[in-house]
Coordinates of all heavy atoms in Angstrom, one line a residue:
S1 N -28.5 15.1 33.4 CA -27.0 15.3 33.6 C -26.8 16.2 34.8 O -27.6 16.8 35.3 CB -26.5 15.9 32.3 OG -26.9 17.3 32.2
W2 N -25.5 16.3 35.2 CA -25.1 17.0 36.3 C -25.4 18.5 36.2 O -25.7 19.2 37.1 CB -23.7 16.7 36.8 CG -22.7 17.3 35.8 CD1 -22.2 16.7 34.8 CD2 -22.0 18.5 35.9 NE1 -21.2 17.5 34.2 CE2 -21.1 18.6 34.9 CE3 -22.2 19.6 36.8 CZ2 -20.4 19.8 34.6 CZ3 -21.4 20.7 36.6 CH2 -20.5 20.8 35.5
I3 N -25.2 19.0 34.9 CA -25.4 20.5 34.7 C -26.9 20.9 34.9 O -27.2 21.9 35.4 CB -24.9 20.9 33.3 CG1 -24.7 22.4 33.2 CG2 -25.8 20.4 32.2 CD1 -23.6 22.9 34.1
S4 N -27.8 20.0 34.6 CA -29.2 20.2 34.9 C -29.5 20.3 36.4 O -30.2 21.2 36.8 CB -30.1 19.1 34.3 OG -30.0 19.2 32.9
K5 N -28.9 19.4 37.1 CA -29.0 19.4 38.6 C -28.4 20.7 39.2 O -29.0 21.3 40.1 CB -28.4 18.2 39.2 CG -29.1 16.9 38.8 CD -28.4 15.7 39.3 CE -29.1 14.4 38.8 NZ -28.4 13.2 39.2
V6 N -27.3 21.1 38.7 CA -26.7 22.3 39.2 C -27.6 23.5 38.8 O -27.8 24.4 39.7 CB -25.3 22.6 38.5 CG1 -24.7 23.9 38.8 CG2 -24.3 21.5 39.1
G7 N -28.1 23.6 37.6 CA -29.0 24.6 37.2 C -30.3 24.7 38.1 O -30.7 25.8 38.5
M8 N -30.8 23.5 38.4 CA -32.0 23.5 39.2 C -31.7 23.9 40.7 O -32.5 24.7 41.3 CB -32.7 22.1 39.2 CG -33.4 21.8 37.9 SD -34.3 20.3 37.9 CE -33.0 19.0 38.0
S9 N -30.6 23.6 41.2 CA -30.2 24.0 42.5 C -30.0 25.5 42.6 O -30.4 26.2 43.5 CB -28.9 23.3 42.9 OG -29.0 21.9 43.0
L10 N -29.3 26.0 41.6 CA -29.1 27.5 41.5 C -30.4 28.2 41.4 O -30.6 29.3 42.0 CB -28.1 27.9 40.4 CG -26.7 27.4 40.5 CD1 -25.9 27.7 39.3 CD2 -26.1 28.1 41.7
G11 N -31.3 27.7 40.6 CA -32.6 28.3 40.4 C -33.4 28.3 41.7 O -34.0 29.3 42.1
A12 N -33.4 27.2 42.5 CA -34.1 27.2 43.7 C -33.4 28.2 44.7 O -34.2 28.9 45.4 CB -34.0 25.8 44.3
G13 N -32.1 28.2 44.7 CA -31.5 29.2 45.6 C -31.8 30.6 45.2 O -32.0 31.5 46.1
A14 N -31.8 30.9 43.9 CA -32.2 32.2 43.4 C -33.6 32.6 43.8 O -33.9 33.8 44.1 CB -31.9 32.3 41.9
A15 N -34.5 31.6 43.7 CA -35.9 31.9 44.1 C -36.0 32.3 45.5 O -36.7 33.3 45.9 CB -36.8 30.7 43.8
G16 N -35.3 31.6 46.4 CA -35.2 32.0 47.8 C -34.7 33.4 48.0 O -35.2 34.2 48.8
F17 N -33.6 33.7 47.3 CA -33.0 35.0 47.4 C -33.9 36.1 46.9 O -34.1 37.1 47.6 CB -31.7 35.1 46.6 CG -31.2 36.4 46.4 CD1 -30.5 37.1 47.4 CD2 -31.3 37.1 45.2 CE1 -30.0 38.4 47.2 CE2 -30.9 38.4 45.0 CZ -30.2 39.0 46.0
V18 N -34.6 35.8 45.8 CA -35.6 36.8 45.3 C -36.7 37.1 46.3 O -37.1 38.2 46.6 CB -36.2 36.4 43.9 CG1 -37.4 37.2 43.5 CG2 -35.1 36.4 42.9
L19 N -37.3 36.0 46.9 CA -38.3 36.2 47.8 C -37.9 36.9 49.1 O -38.6 37.8 49.6 CB -38.9 34.8 48.2 CG -39.7 34.1 47.1 CD1 -40.1 32.7 47.6 CD2 -40.9 34.9 46.7
D20 N -36.7 36.6 49.5 CA -36.1 37.3 50.7 C -35.9 38.8 50.4 O -36.2 39.7 51.2 CB -34.9 36.6 51.2 CG -34.4 37.2 52.5 OD1 -35.2 37.3 53.4 OD2 -33.2 37.4 52.6
A21 N -35.3 39.1 49.2 CA -34.9 40.4 48.9 C -36.1 41.3 48.6 O -36.0 42.6 48.7 CB -34.0 40.4 47.6
T22 N -37.2 40.7 48.2 CA -38.4 41.5 47.9 C -39.3 41.8 49.1 O -40.3 42.5 48.9 CB -39.2 40.9 46.8 OG1 -39.6 39.6 47.2 CG2 -38.4 40.8 45.5
G23 N -39.0 41.2 50.2 CA -39.8 41.4 51.3 C -41.1 40.5 51.4 O -42.0 40.8 52.1
F24 N -41.0 39.4 50.7 CA -42.1 38.4 50.7 C -42.3 37.9 52.1 O -41.3 37.5 52.8 CB -41.8 37.3 49.8 CG -42.8 36.2 49.7 CD1 -43.9 36.4 48.9 CD2 -42.7 35.1 50.5 CE1 -44.9 35.4 48.8 CE2 -43.6 34.1 50.4 CZ -44.7 34.2 49.6
D25 N -43.5 37.9 52.6 CA -43.9 37.3 53.9 C -44.9 36.2 53.7 O -46.0 36.5 53.4 CB -44.4 38.5 54.8 CG -44.6 38.0 56.2 OD1 -44.4 36.9 56.5 OD2 -45.0 38.9 57.0
A26 N -44.4 35.0 54.0 CA -45.3 33.8 53.8 C -46.5 33.8 54.7 O -47.5 33.2 54.5 CB -44.5 32.6 54.0
K27 N -46.4 34.6 55.8 CA -47.5 34.6 56.8 C -48.7 35.5 56.3 O -49.8 35.3 56.8 CB -47.0 35.2 58.1 CG -46.0 34.3 58.8 CD -45.4 35.0 60.0 CE -44.3 34.1 60.5 NZ -43.5 34.8 61.6
L28 N -48.4 36.4 55.3 CA -49.5 37.2 54.8 C -50.3 36.5 53.8 O -49.8 35.7 52.9 CB -48.9 38.5 54.1 CG -48.2 39.4 55.0 CD1 -47.6 40.6 54.2 CD2 -49.1 40.0 56.1
A29 N -51.6 36.6 53.8 CA -52.5 36.0 52.8 C -52.3 36.7 51.4 O -52.4 36.0 50.4 CB -54.0 36.1 53.2
V30 N -52.1 38.0 51.4 CA -51.9 38.7 50.2 C -50.7 39.6 50.3 O -50.5 40.3 51.3 CB -53.2 39.6 49.9 CG1 -53.0 40.4 48.6 CG2 -54.4 38.8 49.8
Q31 N -49.8 39.5 49.3 CA -48.6 40.3 49.3 C -48.9 41.7 48.9 O -49.8 41.9 48.1 CB -47.5 39.7 48.4 CG -47.2 38.2 48.9 CD -46.6 38.2 50.2 OE1 -45.8 39.0 50.7 NE2 -47.0 37.2 51.0
S32 N -48.1 42.7 49.3 CA -48.3 44.0 48.8 C -48.0 44.2 47.4 O -47.2 43.4 46.8 CB -47.3 45.0 49.6 OG -46.0 44.8 49.2
P33 N -48.6 45.2 46.7 CA -48.3 45.4 45.3 C -46.8 45.6 45.0 O -46.3 45.2 44.0 CB -49.1 46.6 44.9 CG -50.2 46.6 45.9 CD -49.6 46.1 47.2
D34 N -46.1 46.3 45.9 CA -44.7 46.6 45.7 C -43.9 45.2 45.8 O -43.0 45.1 45.0 CB -44.1 47.5 46.8 CG -44.6 48.9 46.7 OD1 -45.0 49.3 45.6 OD2 -44.6 49.6 47.7
T35 N -44.3 44.3 46.6 CA -43.6 43.0 46.7 C -43.8 42.3 45.4 O -42.9 41.7 44.8 CB -44.1 42.2 47.9 OG1 -43.8 43.0 49.1 CG2 -43.5 40.9 48.0
I36 N -45.0 42.3 44.9 CA -45.4 41.5 43.7 C -44.6 42.1 42.5 O -44.0 41.4 41.7 CB -46.9 41.6 43.4 CG1 -47.7 40.9 44.5 CG2 -47.2 41.0 42.0 CD1 -47.4 39.5 44.7
L37 N -44.5 43.5 42.4 CA -43.8 44.1 41.4 C -42.3 43.8 41.5 O -41.7 43.4 40.4 CB -44.0 45.6 41.4 CG -43.2 46.4 40.4 CD1 -43.6 46.1 39.0 CD2 -43.3 47.9 40.7
L38 N -41.7 43.8 42.6 CA -40.3 43.5 42.8 C -40.0 42.0 42.4 O -39.0 41.7 41.8 CB -39.8 43.8 44.2 CG -39.6 45.2 44.6 CD1 -39.3 45.4 46.0 CD2 -38.4 45.8 43.7
I39 N -40.9 41.1 42.8 CA -40.7 39.7 42.4 C -40.7 39.6 40.9 O -39.8 38.9 40.3 CB -41.8 38.8 43.1 CG1 -41.6 38.8 44.6 CG2 -41.8 37.5 42.4 CD1 -42.7 38.1 45.3
R40 N -41.6 40.2 40.2 CA -41.7 40.2 38.8 C -40.5 40.8 38.1 O -39.9 40.2 37.2 CB -43.0 40.9 38.3 CG -44.2 40.1 38.6 CD -45.4 40.8 38.0 NE -46.6 40.0 38.3 CZ -47.9 40.4 37.9 NH1 -48.0 41.6 37.4 NH2 -48.9 39.7 38.2
V41 N -40.1 41.9 38.6 CA -38.9 42.6 38.0 C -37.6 41.7 38.2 O -36.9 41.5 37.3 CB -38.7 44.0 38.7 CG1 -37.3 44.5 38.3 CG2 -39.8 44.9 38.2
M42 N -37.4 41.2 39.4 CA -36.3 40.4 39.7 C -36.3 39.0 38.9 O -35.3 38.6 38.4 CB -36.1 40.1 41.1 CG -35.6 41.4 41.9 SD -35.3 41.1 43.6 CE -33.6 40.4 43.5
L43 N -37.5 38.4 38.8 CA -37.5 37.2 38.1 C -37.4 37.4 36.6 O -37.0 36.4 35.9 CB -38.8 36.4 38.4 CG -38.9 35.8 39.8 CD1 -40.3 35.1 40.0 CD2 -37.8 34.9 40.1
A44 N -37.6 38.6 36.1 CA -37.4 38.9 34.7 C -36.0 39.3 34.4 O -35.4 38.9 33.4 CB -38.4 39.9 34.2
S45 N -35.4 40.0 35.4 CA -34.1 40.6 35.1 C -32.9 39.6 35.4 O -31.9 39.7 34.7 CB -33.8 41.8 36.0 OG -33.9 41.5 37.3
I46 N -33.1 38.7 36.3 CA -32.0 37.7 36.5 C -31.7 36.8 35.3 O -30.6 36.7 34.9 CB -32.4 36.8 37.7 CG1 -32.3 37.6 39.0 CG2 -31.4 35.6 37.8 CD1 -32.8 36.9 40.2
P47 N -32.7 36.3 34.6 CA -32.4 35.6 33.3 C -31.8 36.5 32.2 O -30.9 36.0 31.5 CB -33.7 35.0 32.9 CG -34.6 34.9 34.1 CD -34.1 36.1 34.9
V48 N -32.2 37.7 32.2 CA -31.7 38.6 31.2 C -30.2 38.9 31.4 O -29.4 38.9 30.5 CB -32.5 40.0 31.1 CG1 -31.8 41.0 30.3 CG2 -33.9 39.7 30.6
V49 N -29.9 39.1 32.7 CA -28.5 39.3 33.1 C -27.6 38.1 32.8 O -26.5 38.1 32.2 CB -28.3 39.7 34.5 CG1 -26.9 39.7 35.0 CG2 -29.0 41.1 34.8
G50 N -28.2 36.9 33.1 CA -27.4 35.6 32.9 C -27.2 35.4 31.4 O -26.1 35.0 30.9
L51 N -28.3 35.6 30.6 CA -28.2 35.4 29.1 C -27.2 36.4 28.5 O -26.5 36.1 27.6 CB -29.5 35.4 28.5 CG -30.4 34.3 28.8 CD1 -31.8 34.5 28.2 CD2 -29.9 33.0 28.2
S52 N -27.2 37.6 29.0 CA -26.3 38.7 28.5 C -24.9 38.3 28.8 O -24.0 38.4 27.9 CB -26.6 40.0 29.1 OG -27.9 40.4 28.7
L53 N -24.6 37.8 30.0 CA -23.3 37.4 30.3 C -22.9 36.2 29.5 O -21.7 36.2 29.0 CB -23.3 37.0 31.8 CG -21.9 36.5 32.4 CD1 -20.9 37.6 32.3 CD2 -22.1 36.0 33.8
A54 N -23.7 35.2 29.2 CA -23.4 34.1 28.4 C -23.1 34.6 26.9 O -22.2 34.1 26.3 CB -24.6 33.1 28.4
L55 N -23.9 35.5 26.4 CA -23.7 36.1 25.1 C -22.3 36.7 25.0 O -21.6 36.5 24.0 CB -24.8 37.0 24.7 CG -24.7 37.6 23.3 CD1 -24.8 36.6 22.3 CD2 -25.8 38.6 23.1
V56 N -21.9 37.5 26.0 CA -20.6 38.1 26.0 C -19.5 37.1 26.0 O -18.5 37.2 25.2 CB -20.5 39.1 27.2 CG1 -19.0 39.5 27.4 CG2 -21.4 40.3 27.0
I57 N -19.7 36.1 26.8 CA -18.7 35.0 26.8 C -18.6 34.3 25.5 O -17.5 34.0 24.9 CB -19.0 34.0 27.9 CG1 -18.7 34.7 29.3 CG2 -18.1 32.7 27.8 CD1 -19.3 33.9 30.5
L58 N -19.7 34.0 24.9 CA -19.7 33.3 23.6 C -19.1 34.2 22.5 O -18.4 33.7 21.6 CB -21.2 32.9 23.2 CG -21.7 31.7 23.9 CD1 -23.2 31.5 23.5 CD2 -21.0 30.5 23.6
L59 N -19.4 35.4 22.5 CA -18.8 36.3 21.5 C -17.3 36.5 21.6 O -16.6 36.7 20.6 CB -19.5 37.7 21.5 CG -21.0 37.7 21.1 CD1 -21.6 39.1 21.3 CD2 -21.1 37.3 19.6
R60 N -16.8 36.3 22.8 CA -15.4 36.5 23.0 C -14.6 35.1 22.8 O -13.4 35.1 22.8 CB -15.1 37.0 24.4 CG -15.6 38.4 24.6 CD -15.4 39.0 26.0 NE -14.0 38.9 26.3 CZ -13.0 39.9 26.1 NH1 -13.4 41.0 25.5 NH2 -11.8 39.7 26.5
Y61 N -15.4 34.1 22.7 CA -14.8 32.7 22.6 C -14.1 32.7 21.2 O -14.8 32.9 20.2 CB -15.8 31.6 22.7 CG -15.2 30.3 22.9 CD1 -14.6 29.9 24.1 CD2 -15.2 29.4 21.9 CE1 -14.1 28.7 24.3 CE2 -14.6 28.1 22.1 CZ -14.0 27.8 23.3 OH -13.5 26.6 23.5
P62 N -12.8 32.3 21.1 CA -12.1 32.3 19.8 C -12.4 31.1 18.9 O -11.5 30.3 18.7 CB -10.6 32.3 20.3 CG -10.6 31.5 21.6 CD -12.0 31.9 22.2
L63 N -13.6 31.0 18.5 CA -14.0 29.9 17.6 C -14.7 30.4 16.4 O -15.9 30.5 16.4 CB -14.9 28.9 18.4 CG -15.1 27.6 17.8 CD1 -13.8 26.8 17.6 CD2 -16.0 26.7 18.6
G64 N -13.9 30.8 15.4 CA -14.5 31.2 14.1 C -14.5 30.1 13.1 O -14.1 29.0 13.4
V65 N -14.9 30.5 11.9 CA -15.0 29.5 10.8 C -13.6 28.9 10.5 O -13.5 27.6 10.4 CB -15.5 30.2 9.5 CG1 -15.5 29.2 8.4 CG2 -16.9 30.6 9.8
E66 N -12.6 29.7 10.5 CA -11.2 29.2 10.2 C -10.8 28.2 11.3 O -10.2 27.2 11.1 CB -10.2 30.3 10.1 CG -10.4 31.1 8.8 CD -10.2 30.1 7.5 OE1 -9.3 29.3 7.5 OE2 -11.0 30.3 6.6
R67 N -11.0 28.6 12.6 CA -10.6 27.7 13.7 C -11.4 26.4 13.7 O -10.8 25.3 13.9 CB -10.9 28.5 15.0 CG -10.5 27.7 16.2 CD -9.0 27.6 16.4 NE -8.7 26.9 17.6 CZ -7.9 25.9 17.7 NH1 -7.2 25.5 16.7 NH2 -7.7 25.2 18.8
V68 N -12.7 26.4 13.3 CA -13.4 25.2 13.2 C -12.9 24.3 12.1 O -12.7 23.1 12.3 CB -14.9 25.5 12.9 CG1 -15.7 24.2 12.6 CG2 -15.6 26.2 14.1
H69 N -12.5 24.9 11.0 CA -11.9 24.1 9.9 C -10.5 23.5 10.3 O -10.2 22.3 10.0 CB -11.8 24.9 8.6 CG -13.1 25.2 8.0 ND1 -14.0 24.3 7.6 CD2 -13.6 26.4 7.6 CE1 -15.1 24.8 7.1 NE2 -14.9 26.1 7.1
A70 N -9.8 24.3 11.0 CA -8.5 23.8 11.5 C -8.6 22.6 12.5 O -7.9 21.6 12.4 CB -7.7 24.9 12.2
I71 N -9.6 22.7 13.4 CA -9.8 21.7 14.3 C -10.3 20.4 13.6 O -9.8 19.3 13.9 CB -10.9 22.1 15.4 CG1 -10.3 23.2 16.3 CG2 -11.4 20.9 16.2 CD1 -11.3 23.8 17.2
R72 N -11.2 20.6 12.6 CA -11.6 19.4 11.8 C -10.5 18.8 11.1 O -10.4 17.5 11.1 CB -12.7 19.9 10.9 CG -13.3 18.7 10.1 CD -14.5 19.1 9.3 NE -15.2 18.0 8.7 CZ -16.2 17.3 9.2 NH1 -16.7 17.7 10.4 NH2 -16.7 16.3 8.6
R73 N -9.6 19.6 10.5 CA -8.4 19.0 9.8 C -7.6 18.2 10.8 O -7.1 17.1 10.4 CB -7.6 20.1 9.1 CG -8.3 20.6 7.8 CD -7.3 21.5 7.0 NE -6.9 22.7 7.8 CZ -7.6 23.8 7.8 NH1 -8.7 24.0 7.0 NH2 -7.2 24.9 8.5
E74 N -7.4 18.8 11.9 CA -6.6 18.1 13.0 C -7.2 16.8 13.4 O -6.5 15.7 13.5 CB -6.5 19.0 14.2 CG -5.1 19.1 14.8 CD -5.1 20.1 15.9 OE1 -5.1 21.3 15.7 OE2 -5.2 19.7 17.1
L75 N -8.5 16.8 13.6 CA -9.2 15.5 14.0 C -9.1 14.5 12.9 O -8.9 13.3 13.1 CB -10.6 15.8 14.3 CG -10.9 16.6 15.7 CD1 -12.3 16.9 15.8 CD2 -10.4 15.7 16.8
E76 N -9.3 14.9 11.6 CA -9.3 14.0 10.5 C -7.9 13.4 10.3 O -7.7 12.3 9.9 CB -9.8 14.6 9.2 CG -11.3 14.9 9.2 CD -11.8 15.6 8.0 OE1 -11.0 16.2 7.2 OE2 -13.0 15.6 7.8
A77 N -6.9 14.2 10.6 CA -5.5 13.7 10.5 C -5.2 12.7 11.6 O -4.5 11.7 11.3 CB -4.5 14.9 10.6
R78 N -5.8 12.8 12.7 CA -5.6 11.9 13.8 C -6.3 10.6 13.6 O -5.8 9.5 13.9 CB -6.1 12.5 15.1 CG -5.0 13.3 15.8 CD -5.4 13.6 17.2 NE -5.3 15.0 17.4 CZ -5.9 15.7 18.4 NH1 -6.7 15.1 19.2 NH2 -5.7 17.0 18.5
R79 N -7.6 10.7 13.2 CA -8.4 9.5 13.2 C -9.2 9.2 11.9 O -10.1 8.4 11.9 CB -9.4 9.4 14.4 CG -10.1 10.7 14.5 CD -11.1 10.6 15.7 NE -12.0 11.6 15.5 CZ -12.6 12.3 16.4 NH1 -12.5 12.0 17.7 NH2 -13.5 13.2 16.2
G80 N -8.9 9.9 10.9 CA -9.5 9.7 9.6 C -10.7 10.6 9.4 O -10.9 11.5 10.2
A81 N -11.5 10.4 8.4 CA -12.6 11.3 8.0 C -13.6 11.3 9.2 O -14.0 10.2 9.7 CB -13.3 10.8 6.7
V82 N -14.1 12.4 9.5 CA -15.1 12.6 10.5 C -16.5 12.7 9.9 O -16.7 13.4 9.0 CB -14.8 13.8 11.4 CG1 -15.9 14.0 12.5 CG2 -13.5 13.7 12.0

C-alpha cells in the first residue's frame, strides 16, 4: 500500500540524516566509537519518539466505547445489521 511506501521512503531519508548527523564517514574502514554510539542512540530514539507521538495522538482521539456503539447504531440504521 502507499503508506508502506511512504514509511520506507521516510525511513531511508531518516537513515541518511542519522548517518550525516553522527559524523559517519564512508571513506573510513572503521568508524570511531563515538560515531557508533551516536548511530545506536539515534536509531533507538527516533522510533521511541515516533511511537510516543502516535500514542499521544491515539489517547487524544475521541473514540471511546460509547462513541463506537453510537457509530455502530448509525451504520446499522443506514444499511442494516453489520
Side-chain angles (χ1 to χ4, degrees):
S1 73
W2 70 272
I3 196 70
S4 296
K5 292 176 184 175
V6 169
M8 287 188 290
S9 297
L10 291 174
F17 168 76
V18 167
L19 292 176
D20 188 47
T22 58
F24 179 83
D25 186 358
K27 295 174 186 169
L28 296 176
V30 177
Q31 301 299 317
S32 72
D34 290 340
T35 300
I36 300 295
L37 177 64
L38 282 173
I39 290 171
R40 287 181 178 179
V41 167
M42 289 186 78
L43 289 180
S45 62
I46 290 172
V48 169
V49 169
L51 289 172
S52 298
L53 180 63
L55 182 61
V56 168
I57 291 169
L58 284 174
L59 289 174
R60 295 180 53 91
Y61 195 76
L63 192 61
V65 175
E66 288 301 317
R67 180 72 178 131
V68 170
H69 290 306
I71 291 170
R72 184 173 186 95
R73 284 191 298 271
E74 224 176 279
L75 288 173
E76 287 177 349
R78 274 195 231 159
R79 50 180 198 210
V82 178

